[in-house]
Amino acid sequence: MKNKVLILMSTFNGKERIRRQIISILEQEGIDVHILIRDDGSDTESIRIIDQIKHCHPNKIQVIKGKNCGWRKSFQLLLHSKFTSGYDYYGFSDQDDIWMKDKVISCINLMKNDKYSGPKLAHCAALTVNENMIPTAEQEKRVAYPPTHKMAVATEYFQGCGMIWNNECMKLIKIYNIKNTLLAHDYWVGLIGYLFGKVYFCEIPKFYHIRYANSQSSDGNVSKGRIRRLKKIIRNKNAYMNPACDLLKGYSDLLIPEDKIFLKELKNYKHSFKDKICLIMDSDFSRPSKVATFAMKISLFLNRY
């Protein structure tokens, strides 16, 4: 019997790109795939395309039409939707990529081949291409899992469109609805899977991550990411995602003692000079490069983490 999988997709003015992505999801091999779409206030043409696709696949696609609230909130609403019950596995999807036909089953097989019965999360590499489907010179480098818990907090290791997680992991995710509106859905779900379960990685690319000429995303682009954070610091905005309050409030009983101490420091650093210095001096609290770590520590010193 095929595993039942629900893919969560937030759409906004995607037009024909949405159609191409949805088709690649529906063509996934070896699974019983379903898609839950939350449209985040798209234009008329995008809505028309979504309705047309749903009409052709009424038993596979469900659509929630909402007001524009931004992609972070939109994905959080999907995670806690009443329509997510009854599936074996879950995943995220962007609205404008293309999946290879064995993407989902490859991730599921990694999890199924392990006898561990708790929360599991698998992710896969991507082939970055331009809008003409030609591989780009800069390919996103993904690692199997963060080296340490502190590094998992400091860096966005998991790419939403590459993730699949099991029902046990989904149960953990749904016990708490995050309050920090700056936390990205994939960063948060990746943390939950990594901190409280097991993570698996397929190093063979299983989807095409398309970089469009007018894309505003800095995902996978080191230079764009650093510039974006620098601009936030200059504008007196937080430059990094801080999950400390939400992890302590929602999962305190599951956190190991060392993580609790670290997260309390990260929660209180703006009001405790001692905690701030501990974090700045903590060599384990780092990002993948010295430059990135230095920038993060500067943001801590300026209360912009």
Side-chain angles (χ1 to χ4, degrees), residues 229-239 270 302-305:
R229 290 191 175 93
L230 179 60
K231 287 181 178 179
K232 287 185 176 181
I233 291 173
I234 293 173
R235 295 170 183 167
N236 289 326
K237 295 181 178 180
N238 290 338
K270 291 183 180 180
L302 298 174
N303 289 345
R304 297 269 60 90
Y305 187 93

Coordinates of all heavy atoms in Angstrom, one line a residue, residues 229-239 270 302-305:
R229 N 21.2 40.9 5.6 CA 21.4 41.1 7.0 C 22.0 42.4 7.4 O 21.6 43.0 8.4 CB 22.2 39.9 7.5 CG 21.5 38.6 7.5 CD 22.2 37.5 8.3 NE 21.4 36.3 8.3 CZ 21.5 35.3 7.4 NH1 22.4 35.4 6.4 NH2 20.8 34.2 7.5
L230 N 23.0 42.8 6.6 CA 23.6 44.1 6.9 C 22.6 45.3 6.8 O 22.6 46.1 7.7 CB 24.8 44.4 5.9 CG 25.5 45.7 6.1 CD1 26.1 45.8 7.4 CD2 26.6 45.8 5.0
K231 N 21.7 45.2 5.9 CA 20.7 46.2 5.7 C 19.8 46.2 6.9 O 19.3 47.3 7.4 CB 19.9 46.0 4.4 CG 20.6 46.4 3.2 CD 19.8 46.1 1.9 CE 20.5 46.5 0.6 NZ 19.6 46.3 -0.6
K232 N 19.4 45.0 7.4 CA 18.6 45.0 8.6 C 19.2 45.6 9.8 O 18.6 46.2 10.6 CB 18.2 43.5 8.9 CG 17.2 43.0 7.9 CD 16.7 41.5 8.2 CE 15.7 41.0 7.3 NZ 15.2 39.7 7.7
I233 N 20.5 45.3 10.0 CA 21.3 45.8 11.1 C 21.3 47.4 11.1 O 21.0 48.0 12.1 CB 22.7 45.3 11.2 CG1 22.7 43.8 11.5 CG2 23.5 46.0 12.2 CD1 24.0 43.1 11.4
I234 N 21.5 47.9 9.9 CA 21.6 49.3 9.7 C 20.2 50.0 10.0 O 20.1 51.1 10.6 CB 22.0 49.7 8.3 CG1 23.5 49.3 8.1 CG2 21.8 51.2 8.0 CD1 23.9 49.4 6.6
R235 N 19.1 49.2 9.7 CA 17.8 49.7 9.9 C 17.2 49.4 11.3 O 16.1 49.5 11.6 CB 16.8 49.1 8.9 CG 17.1 49.6 7.4 CD 16.3 48.8 6.4 NE 16.7 49.2 5.1 CZ 16.3 48.5 4.0 NH1 15.6 47.4 4.1 NH2 16.7 48.9 2.8
N236 N 18.1 48.9 12.2 CA 17.8 48.5 13.6 C 16.7 47.4 13.6 O 15.8 47.4 14.4 CB 17.3 49.8 14.3 CG 18.4 50.7 14.7 OD1 19.5 50.3 14.9 ND2 18.1 52.0 14.6
K237 N 16.9 46.5 12.7 CA 16.0 45.3 12.7 C 16.8 44.0 13.0 O 18.0 44.0 12.8 CB 15.3 45.1 11.4 CG 14.4 46.3 11.0 CD 13.7 46.0 9.7 CE 12.7 47.1 9.3 NZ 12.1 46.9 8.0
N238 N 16.1 43.0 13.5 CA 16.8 41.8 13.8 C 17.3 41.1 12.5 O 16.5 41.0 11.6 CB 15.9 40.8 14.6 CG 15.7 41.3 16.0 OD1 16.4 42.0 16.6 ND2 14.6 40.8 16.6
A239 N 18.6 40.7 12.5 CA 19.2 40.2 11.3 C 19.1 38.7 11.2 O 19.4 38.1 10.2 CB 20.6 40.7 11.2
K270 N 19.6 40.4 25.5 CA 19.5 41.9 25.4 C 19.4 42.6 26.8 O 19.6 43.8 26.9 CB 18.2 42.2 24.6 CG 18.3 41.8 23.1 CD 17.1 42.3 22.4 CE 17.2 41.9 20.9 NZ 16.0 42.3 20.1
L302 N 25.1 44.2 19.1 CA 24.2 45.4 18.8 C 22.8 45.1 19.1 O 21.9 45.9 18.8 CB 24.4 45.8 17.3 CG 25.7 46.3 16.9 CD1 25.8 46.5 15.4 CD2 26.2 47.5 17.6
N303 N 22.5 44.0 19.7 CA 21.1 43.6 20.1 C 20.2 43.4 18.8 O 19.0 43.7 18.8 CB 20.4 44.6 21.0 CG 21.0 44.5 22.4 OD1 21.7 43.6 22.8 ND2 20.8 45.6 23.2
R304 N 20.8 42.9 17.7 CA 20.1 42.8 16.5 C 20.0 41.3 16.1 O 19.8 41.0 14.9 CB 20.7 43.6 15.4 CG 20.8 45.1 15.6 CD 19.5 45.8 15.1 NE 18.3 45.4 15.6 CZ 17.7 45.9 16.7 NH1 18.3 46.8 17.4 NH2 16.5 45.5 17.0
Y305 N 20.2 40.4 17.0 CA 20.0 39.0 16.7 C 18.5 38.6 16.9 O 18.0 38.8 18.0 CB 20.9 38.1 17.6 CG 20.9 36.7 17.2 CD1 21.8 36.2 16.3 CD2 19.9 35.8 17.6 CE1 21.8 34.8 15.9 CE2 19.8 34.5 17.2 CZ 20.8 34.0 16.4 OH 20.7 32.7 16.0

